[in-house]
Amino acid sequence: MAITCTKALKEWEAREGVPLAEAKVVRIYGGIATEGKRQFITKLDNGLNSLKECEQLSLSTNQIDRLIPFGGMKKLRILSLGRNQIKKIEKLEDLSETLEELWISYNQIASLDGLAPLRKLQVLYMGNNRLKDFAELEKLQANTELRDVLFVGNPMYDNIDRAEAKLQVLKRIPHVMKIDGDIVKDSEREAAQKM
């Protein structure tokens, strides 16, 4: 069953006893249980604009298929949208000065378009999506604060070992410090530069 984003937020507010306008962390994993049934958010809506103080928003394991502008969320630092049905990264420009972490694994994303405006982005977890080519990672070169990335489980990793995949990532975004949970070694950085 589906529930609107606004209604899910109101249910969360009633359950947690925290006014939406004051909430710093909002977590709605796996939908909301209402009337004895689990209901999943399928579409984001302007209800998000009521989260004026929110620094961390987690809407993982729902059925969200697309993003909307996050204009009212001027303090959002961490956005978790893993295990949804999102096909495209878009409309994140409003978060360009605040978003530090984007957790968006287990979706249907095939392109990294839409991330360049996120100047403060430090962490990008994007495993198990539909990225087919390592060249797609070149779109992250503008994200100079990016330090920790996760891409394991994407088709671009098929038919190559983990060490080679790490070098391919490092070749395209040389400023990262951690790839797929592993700290980048100086020797790996040197090998990637020679590729």
Side-chain angles (χ1 to χ4, degrees), residues 98-118:
T98 60
L99 195 67
E100 297 173 3
E101 299 185 22
L102 179 59
W103 308 346
I104 199 160
S105 293
Y106 292 95
N107 275 285
Q108 300 168 20
I109 300 165
S111 169
L112 294 175
D113 292 336
L115 290 173
L118 301 177

Side-chain angles (χ1 to χ4, degrees), residues 23-135:
K24 291 195 182 297
V25 177
V26 175
R27 293 185 181 115
I28 303 176
Y29 302 124
I32 289 272
T34 58
E35 302 164 9
K37 298 177 186 171
R38 179 120 337 244
Q39 297 182 9
F40 298 95
I41 301 168
T42 56
K43 302 231 179 285
L44 298 178
D45 60 38
N46 288 333
L48 292 174
N49 290 331
S50 62
L51 300 172
K52 303 286 185 200
E53 298 296 318
C54 188
E55 295 178 10
Q56 180 177 351
L57 176 63
S58 300
L59 299 175
S60 297
T61 315
N62 276 284
Q63 297 172 358
I64 300 163
D65 64 350
R66 69 183 55 154
L67 302 178
I68 65 165
F70 289 83
M73 302 188 72
K74 300 294 184 195
K75 296 186 178 183
L76 191 63
R77 293 183 316 99
I78 301 171
L79 177 59
S80 175
L81 294 166
R83 296 188 185 274
N84 276 288
Q85 298 168 8
I86 298 166
K87 295 172 186 65
K88 185 177 180 182
I89 299 171
E90 60 184 345
K91 302 178 182 170
L92 296 177
E93 295 83 4
D94 293 327
L95 305 175
S96 67
E97 295 300 322
T98 60
L99 195 67
E100 297 173 3
E101 299 185 22
L102 179 59
W103 308 346
I104 199 160
S105 293
Y106 292 95
N107 275 285
Q108 300 168 20
I109 300 165
S111 169
L112 294 175
D113 292 336
L115 290 173
L118 301 177
R119 292 186 287 274
K120 303 281 187 186
L121 192 65
Q122 298 172 24
V123 175
L124 176 62
Y125 293 155
M126 228 188 117
N128 296 286
N129 272 284
R130 295 186 176 171
L131 296 177
K132 294 180 181 170
D133 194 329
F134 283 99

Side-chain angles (χ1 to χ4, degrees), residues 125-178:
Y125 293 155
M126 228 188 117
N128 296 286
N129 272 284
R130 295 186 176 171
L131 296 177
K132 294 180 181 170
D133 194 329
F134 283 99
E136 194 66 30
L137 303 183
E138 292 169 11
K139 295 175 182 174
L140 297 173
Q141 290 177 355
N143 304 96
T144 57
E145 291 193 27
L146 197 56
R147 298 292 176 255
D148 183 358
V149 295
L150 186 135
F151 297 112
V152 71
N154 279 284
M156 64 186 181
Y157 277 49
D158 292 351
N159 303 316
I160 92 175
D161 66 31
R162 188 173 174 130
E164 176 64 19
K166 188 174 184 181
L167 291 177
Q168 290 292 333
V169 173
L170 196 54
K171 175 183 174 182
R172 287 159 178 91
I173 39 176
H175 52 273
V176 297
M177 308 300 250
K178 193 173 179 185

Side-chain angles (χ1 to χ4, degrees), residues 176-191:
V176 297
M177 308 300 250
K178 193 173 179 185
I179 299 171
D180 300 328
D182 294 330
I183 301 292
V184 174
K185 299 176 186 143
D186 290 339
S187 59
E188 293 167 326
R189 199 172 299 286
E190 291 167 11

